[in-house]
Amino acid sequence: MLELKNITKIYNPGEITEACLFRDFDLSVEAGEFVSIVGSNGSGKTSLLNIICGSIPIQGGDVIIDGESMLHKKEFVRYRRFGRVYQNPALGTSPNLTMFENLSLADNKGKAYDLSRGANHARRESYREQLAALGLGLEDKMDVKMGALSGGQRQAVALLMATMTPIDFLILDEHTAALDPKTADTIMELTDRVVREKGLTAIMVTHNLRYAVEYGSRLLMMDKGHLVLDAAGEEKKNMTVEDILDLFTKISIECGN
């Protein structure tokens, strides 16, 4: 279980540009939930993911996983339990290394590094089988540099790399936003399959309202650091894209836009 308790996040504290995004913000995510988060730019979606992962500091509150505080744990320690796929396909992989070398690095996550070779050729067939399971023909491109692959192919590999070692949480930061619609649909189908097969707890930020409605077990909408919608169960199943658009419009009108 993931708990955010009394989170306060202030950007540029003490400066003229000081801005408080979260004030005493609370959120709980049960093990096994697939949570989709939507909201306008600046609503706090990506900041929320960064706080969970320990990528940015907070001024108050705590991040708790299974009863253990993560507040003073370094980012790399948290990432032993997290996998993250970013919006930019270039961020989740090393472009100048081959796919095989990228997979080898991901496979070594959490292990001690020494002067031995990073690429484990004994694991090559295993990587090939995992790539083949994606159904994209990537198993025949293992010696191709990642930078030569398409954005969709890199995101598929990044998704595999993020979940190769045992993790509890998969963090998806608009991971289909840079892809064309057809490729984005493919990546979402892969994501849903990986989450279900590995029994992961997933938190996905997306601007694609259809994905937010069709995928996951819980839907959150954020506005200016606040939760304005938290739908799960039958409420989530019965929700439509039009319902979310109506709420967006209502918030926009209330803000004078």
Side-chain angles (χ1 to χ4, degrees):
M1 181 178 183
L2 170 68
E3 298 174 274
L4 278 69
K5 290 189 174 182
N6 303 316
I7 298 296
T8 295
K9 173 58 186 175
I10 301 173
Y11 283 100
N12 306 319
E15 301 180 13
I16 194 171
T17 55
E18 177 178 308
C20 181
L21 178 59
F22 294 114
R23 176 79 69 185
D24 296 327
F25 179 87
D26 292 321
L27 176 66
S28 295
V29 178
E30 297 288 341
E33 282 192 311
F34 186 163
V35 182
S36 298
I37 305 177
V38 299
S40 58
N41 291 332
S43 60
K45 304 184 301 300
T46 296
S47 291
L48 180 63
L49 298 187
N50 286 331
I51 289 170
I52 291 171
C53 294
S55 303
I56 58 175
I58 55 177
Q59 281 69 42
D62 202 354
V63 177
I64 302 169
I65 297 178
D66 295 337
E68 181 182 6
S69 173
M70 298 286 111
L71 192 60
H72 299 296
K73 294 186 181 296
K74 295 185 180 297
E75 187 177 6
F76 76 89
V77 174
R78 296 195 199 192
Y79 268 92
R80 290 171 182 166
R81 303 189 65 174
F82 287 90
R84 187 168 183 174
V85 184
Y86 296 86
Q87 175 180 345
N88 185 349
L91 292 180
T93 58
S94 298
N96 293 321
L97 298 180
T98 66
M99 189 191 309
F100 172 65
E101 291 167 336
N102 271 270
L103 292 170
S104 295
L105 288 174
D107 202 14
N108 284 325
K109 177 182 174 182
K111 300 175 183 176
Y113 283 84
D114 51 30
L115 296 179
S116 62
R117 285 183 174 271
N120 184 354
H121 289 272
R123 294 277 291 155
R124 187 180 179 92
E125 187 57 32
S126 174
Y127 301 156
R128 182 180 174 82
E129 291 174 358
Q130 293 179 66
L131 289 167
L134 298 179
L136 300 175
L138 292 171
E139 65 273 16
D140 297 322
K141 300 179 182 291
M142 287 215 295
D143 294 318
V144 175
K145 288 189 176 182
M146 290 299 300
L149 300 179
S150 69
Q153 290 173 325
R154 292 182 71 171
Q155 284 298 67
V157 177
L159 179 63
L160 177 58
M161 290 170 61
T163 58
M164 284 187 74
T165 56
I167 58 171
D168 298 311
F169 300 91
L170 179 60
I171 306 297
L172 305 162
D173 190 359
E174 297 185 49
H175 70 307
T176 63
L179 308 176
D180 66 80
K182 182 178 180 180
T183 304
D185 284 347
T186 299
I187 295 301
M188 271 308 309
E189 291 168 5
L190 285 172
T191 300
D192 186 55
R193 193 175 84 202
V194 167
V195 169
R196 286 186 286 104
E197 289 179 352
K198 293 182 178 287
L200 301 176
T201 303
I203 304 174
M204 176 179 74
V205 164
T206 181
H207 280 294
N208 189 309
L209 301 186
R210 179 170 66 84
Y211 293 161
V213 168
E214 292 182 1
Y215 293 95
S217 57
R218 185 177 174 191
L219 194 158
L220 307 179
M221 181 185 288
M222 300 186 65
D223 179 58
K224 298 179 181 177
H226 298 279
L227 287 179
V228 295
L229 173 68
D230 187 348
E234 288 301 315
E235 183 182 6
K236 165 70 166 59
K237 290 180 181 178
N238 295 328
M239 188 158 287
T240 66
V241 171
E242 288 71 25
D243 294 331
I244 305 177
L245 283 173
D246 287 344
L247 184 53
F248 264 121
T249 301
K250 179 181 178 182
I251 292 172
S252 182
I253 292 173
E254 290 176 350
C255 292
N257 295 329

